[in-house]
Amino acid sequence: MIPKISNLEEYKSVYNKSIKDPAGFWAEIADCFQWKKKGNQINSGNFNDVNHSWFEDSTLNITENCLDRHLDKRGEKTAIIWESNDPKEEGKHISYRELHAMVSQFANVLINKGVQKGDRVCIYMPMVPELAVAVLACARIGAIHSVVFGGFSARALADRIDDAECRVLLTADSTYRGKKEIRLKDISDDAMNLTDKIDNCITLKRTGNDINMKQGRDSWWHDEIDGVSTFNEALELNGEDPLFILYTSGSTGKPKGILHTTAGYMVYTAYSFKNVFQYEENDIYWCTADIGWITGHSYIVYGPLLCGATTLMFEGVPTFPDAGRFWDVVEKYKVNIFYTAPTAIRALQACDLGFVSSKDLSSLRVLGTVGEPINEEAWHWYNDHIGKKQCPIVDTWWQTETGGILISPLAGITPLKPSYATLPLPGVEPILVNNEGEIIEGNGVEGNLCIKNSWPSQTRTLYGDHERFIQTYFSTYPGYYFTGDGCKRDEDGYYRITGRVDDVINVSGHRIGTAEVENAIAEHEGVCETAVIGYPHDIKGQGIYAYVVCYEEVKNADELRKEILAKVIELIGPIAKPDKIQFVSGLPKTRSGKIMRRILRKLAEGEFDKLGDVSTLLDPSVVEKIKSGVI
Ligand code: WTA
């Protein structure tokens, strides 16, 4: 049994022990898992050489820990509850035994397709149980899964397939999210026209709409599993064998393939799941994220299943058929632990309170948030109306790169402060560093958030580009992992994340690189130059603001805006659509040609009196023109 901290004193002593003796601490946690071969090496490497590793002389299979290990005691227990987008469609309850059979069977399908250990498999699927099956089937045979969120375009999908050199694509005919139909197979077809890497595309029938099938390449999921054995011996893998790649945005244009490995990720996601949410054996746990993001990987699939929990998967959106949907689902399944994003809370907060007050939410015990800073107003609404002031809110700070939650209250144990992620988890050493790279000691301070030492679920590299990995995370402040976030540490030593300090923006909890959006806009033939920044947005947290300089006079601004939006949708996907596009005659630049984003941010916020000194600009008059809206 993975140990669970039960009070604040214990947290403090466990934390101190974990920092003094990380290897000893994690060795004990690792004993709670099933290994094929247990080695002696707990961790090695450091952040100067960027060669950290965990459990590298042990062997295991993570799916044995997610599935096989539970069969004796929890075989008939529900592993996955599935709730459709359509409230009238019956949900599903899949037991651990059933899930084990489905995963084993699909693992055999992949083997039949020639997929071997280390091969990359791209997964572009809706939130249905087969998505979890696909992920786990890859892990069972040592294939590396690369899940791409269904909101990405064909081009973005093709780029990710190319980068990871995936030979197999798993998708579905289509899905509904609210009223919107997303034709995943059609998009996959377009993607496969842009890359020649895919030899096999397997499509799950979800909605039954017509799709194209290319002979020799495409097949149906149900045909593939037909008659295939549900027995599969999980492959013995090394602790450091890659488990998955997940693409995320950074400050430069090209998305980064974050690579996670097996054993460290397993140990950390399970431990953090159990402790942060204070999970209890019969809890019904619901995380509303999509498995296309890290939150879904770690805290819908791996963390909960490793702990033998019942995890709820929801295909739909919070506002369909109305703004009471989340609370209907909580009531229907008597959810005990509910984990969502601040943007969803803000969207629901803006709706009639009747959507909440008519629902029975008494099953709830713990609430969580993730993905962006939660503003105090949203925190209080969540606490008052959803938790009825009875449920601790765990504000969990972490990243795709960190694999698991690093800074967060432990539910019911850590005293809360609205908008604070509070204290680090055992094994995690946050430090604040000033712009000169010096550690800022003491409390009541603010700086760039770094982590001093490796923790088990840390990303090991960027797929195929270790040099870029070192450059991105370990060169700004040598010897430390730099998160890209700004952070305060208050008088009590509590951490409060203030937001990104790099050119990444956080739109509805989705990470978007400004450079990516700029590259997409610049693909429009009429666009000469563009700068994209984030600005405060009531619901989304941040909105996307694009300043665009065109070659020629803009005659029909509305039309041009539409074309630019279409370009962004084509190249990245609807999630990266700018909320505002302003055509300008020039951008504020320094004499060396660097765009002054700080000024653009202030202009977007309408804070014209806080622009600072603009006299050093190459052409100060552009600022006046942007202010007055003159092109
Ligand atoms: C932000 C999501 C404040 C942060 C798990 C981080 C947060 C980025 C929080 C990672 C939080 C995440 N409070 N900010 N509780 N959680 N963030 O990779 O800027 O999609 O660097 O991982 O989200 O986003 P990612």
Side-chain angles (χ1 to χ4, degrees):
M1 279 263 279
I2 298 166
K4 199 160 75 174
I5 293 168
S6 59
N7 59 57
L8 196 58
E9 283 315 304
E10 189 185 351
Y11 161 74
K12 286 180 190 158
S13 80
V14 169
Y15 182 78
N16 289 338
K17 177 181 172 215
S18 75
I19 299 305
K20 261 195 222 119
D21 177 19
F25 173 75
W26 289 111
E28 267 177 41
I29 310 292
D31 277 341
C32 310
F33 294 83
Q34 182 175 316
W35 302 85
K36 295 219 189 238
K37 190 185 112 220
K38 191 84 190 291
N40 302 316
Q41 182 86 35
I42 302 302
N43 57 349
S44 70
N46 60 64
F47 283 175
N48 289 311
D49 300 323
V50 193
N51 60 350
H52 43 280
S53 73
W54 290 83
F55 310 107
E56 63 181 337
D57 64 350
S58 294
T59 65
L60 73 158
N61 189 290
I62 194 169
T63 71
E64 277 190 349
N65 286 276
C66 290
L67 302 170
D68 307 52
R69 188 163 59 115
H70 302 310
L71 294 184
D72 271 356
K73 268 217 250 92
R74 305 188 182 95
E76 311 326 312
K77 179 175 174 177
T78 301
I80 295 178
I81 297 177
W82 176 73
E83 169 76 5
S84 163
N85 178 66
D86 177 359
K88 292 196 206 78
E89 185 178 350
E90 207 176 321
K92 289 184 186 160
H93 283 73
I94 297 171
S95 70
Y96 270 92
R97 200 171 306 287
E98 288 164 330
L99 186 61
H100 176 257
M102 291 164 86
V103 169
S104 302
Q105 185 180 48
F106 203 72
N108 288 330
V109 168
L110 293 175
I111 292 172
N112 292 343
K113 290 284 171 197
V115 180
Q116 294 180 356
K117 177 182 168 188
D119 288 350
R120 278 79 55 209
V121 172
C122 183
I123 304 177
Y124 187 62
M125 289 178 71
M127 281 290 285
V128 291
E130 287 82 355
L131 167 53
V133 169
V135 161
L136 293 167
C138 288
R140 194 149 182 102
I141 64 167
I144 305 170
H145 54 80
S146 167
V147 183
V148 177
F149 174 61
F152 281 110
S153 69
R155 173 78 166 261
L157 176 59
D159 288 347
R160 285 157 177 74
I161 289 171
D162 273 336
D163 189 75
E165 298 184 278
C166 300
R167 282 183 36 240
V168 172
L169 173 62
L170 309 176
T171 188
D173 45 5
S174 67
T175 182
Y176 284 97
R177 282 175 64 77
K179 287 192 190 126
K180 226 171 41 196
E181 186 187 15
I182 304 167
R183 298 179 70 94
L184 296 167
K185 178 61 164 72
D186 289 355
I187 301 170
S188 298
D189 288 343
D190 292 344
M192 288 186 284
N193 284 333
L194 297 167
T195 166
D196 57 4
K197 295 271 181 328
I198 300 296
D199 302 329
N200 283 292
C201 174
I202 304 177
T203 302
L204 178 82
K205 188 175 253 179
R206 165 70 192 110
T207 58
N209 68 289
D210 284 341
I211 58 165
N212 294 315
M213 281 283 185
K214 187 173 163 185
Q215 263 227 320
R217 186 195 65 190
D218 297 356
S219 58
W220 284 110
W221 183 292
H222 54 263
D223 289 336
E224 292 292 353
I225 60 172
D226 191 29
V228 171
S229 163
T230 55
F231 175 81
N232 175 280
E233 176 85 43
L235 194 69
E236 179 168 3
L237 296 168
N238 183 274
E240 276 295 335
D241 274 336
L243 178 63
F244 65 86
I245 300 169
L246 186 57
Y247 285 87
T248 188
S249 298
S251 2
T252 54
K254 199 171 159 261
K256 301 177 288 195
I258 302 294
L259 185 103
H260 283 286
T261 57
T262 304
Y265 179 82
M266 172 181 80
V267 169
Y268 195 87
T269 51
Y271 180 77
S272 53
F273 171 75
K274 190 153 184 191
N275 278 280
V276 168
F277 298 106
Q278 290 288 298
Y279 168 72
E280 287 171 17
E281 176 67 35
N282 292 317
D283 281 341
I284 305 291
Y285 164 83
W286 181 19
C287 165
T288 69
D290 191 289
I291 294 177
W293 308 112
I294 191 69
T295 306
H297 281 61
S298 303
Y299 298 110
I300 295 178
V301 181
Y302 287 111
L305 296 180
L306 285 163
C307 291
T310 299
T311 179
L312 195 153
M313 269 179 88
F314 174 46
E315 187 185 30
V317 296
T319 47
F320 177 80
D322 61 40
R325 187 67 192 277
F326 271 3
W327 322 125
D328 287 332
V329 177
V330 168
E331 181 176 298
K332 180 171 172 187
Y333 297 106
K334 302 201 172 17
V335 170
N336 306 111
I337 305 174
F338 178 73
Y339 188 30
T340 195
T343 186
I345 298 169
R346 287 191 299 264
L348 297 176
Q349 183 187 359
C351 303
D352 192 312
L353 208 52
F355 287 117
V356 181
S357 49
S358 57
K359 309 291 154 63
D360 177 5
L361 304 181
S362 58
S363 58
L364 289 173
R365 200 183 77 240
V366 174
L367 301 176
T369 71
V370 59
E372 56 181 311
I374 179 163
N375 49 308
E376 287 204 32
E377 209 191 331
W379 194 97
H380 284 294
W381 186 84
Y382 199 28
N383 188 38
D384 294 352
H385 298 291
I386 307 306
K388 320 281 185 206
K389 295 198 167 92
Q390 302 292 316
C391 304
I393 298 176
V394 290
D395 176 352
T396 64
W397 175 84
W398 59 296
Q399 309 180 296
T400 307
E401 293 86 341
T402 69
I405 297 165
L406 295 198
I407 305 181
S408 168
L410 307 182
I413 292 174
T414 316
L416 305 176
K417 267 187 209 177
S419 78
Y420 279 76
T422 72
L423 299 171
L425 260 62
V428 176
E429 259 183 295
I431 48 173
L432 301 184
V433 174
N434 65 20
N435 289 341
E436 284 68 51
E438 296 149 356
I439 294 187
I440 307 167
E441 306 282 356
N443 288 342
V445 293
E446 183 167 356
N448 302 298
L449 179 63
C450 293
I451 312 288
K452 200 168 166 193
N453 287 309
S454 181
W455 62 99
S457 64
Q458 184 179 9
T459 173
R460 303 294 192 263
T461 192
L462 296 182
Y463 185 75
D465 200 348
H466 197 62
E467 202 39 51
R468 186 175 173 210
F469 181 60
I470 297 173
Q471 273 307 318
T472 310
Y473 302 104
F474 300 93
S475 67
T476 319
Y477 306 113
Y480 309 126
Y481 165 77
F482 177 41
T483 64
D485 280 322
C487 184
K488 284 183 182 158
R489 184 168 53 222
D490 77 357
E491 296 302 339
D492 297 325
Y494 268 36
Y495 290 88
R496 177 187 184 154
I497 312 300
T498 52
R500 302 285 307 192
V501 294
D502 55 8
D503 291 328
V504 171
I505 48 184
N506 199 325
V507 183
S508 301
H510 299 156
R511 255 167 87 166
I512 307 214
T514 52
E516 258 176 280
V517 185
E518 286 166 4
N519 290 350
I521 295 175
E523 292 268 312
H524 187 287
E525 59 200 12
V527 172
C528 162
E529 195 178 21
T530 174
V532 167
I533 49 131
Y535 72 99
H537 187 289
D538 282 349
I539 304 287
K540 298 178 175 185
Q542 281 188 300
I544 304 180
Y545 200 117
Y547 294 92
V548 177
V549 184
C550 294
Y551 288 111
E552 287 170 12
E553 189 191 338
V554 177
K555 294 224 174 74
N556 187 341
D558 284 346
E559 193 53 36
L560 191 53
R561 271 195 196 96
K562 274 193 204 142
E563 288 174 21
I564 288 174
L565 290 182
K567 251 302 163 232
V568 175
I569 292 171
E570 177 199 333
L571 296 176
I572 309 175
I575 52 171
K577 253 177 16 188
D579 299 271
K580 292 188 183 166
I581 297 177
Q582 183 179 351
F583 296 107
V584 295
S585 60
L587 298 170
K589 288 185 186 169
T590 60
R591 297 219 165 95
S592 60
K594 193 169 174 304
I595 295 171
M596 294 292 286
R597 289 169 186 280
R598 183 181 53 77
I599 293 178
L600 289 174
R601 276 187 215 111
K602 292 286 169 217
L603 287 167
E605 287 166 32
E607 297 199 319
F608 295 165
D609 52 337
K610 294 194 185 138
L611 296 178
D613 184 11
V614 297
S615 64
T616 56
L617 292 177
L618 188 63
D619 176 6
S621 76
V622 293
V623 173
E624 283 311 312
K625 288 188 194 152
I626 293 176
K627 268 202 240 175
S628 60
V630 173
I631 302 175

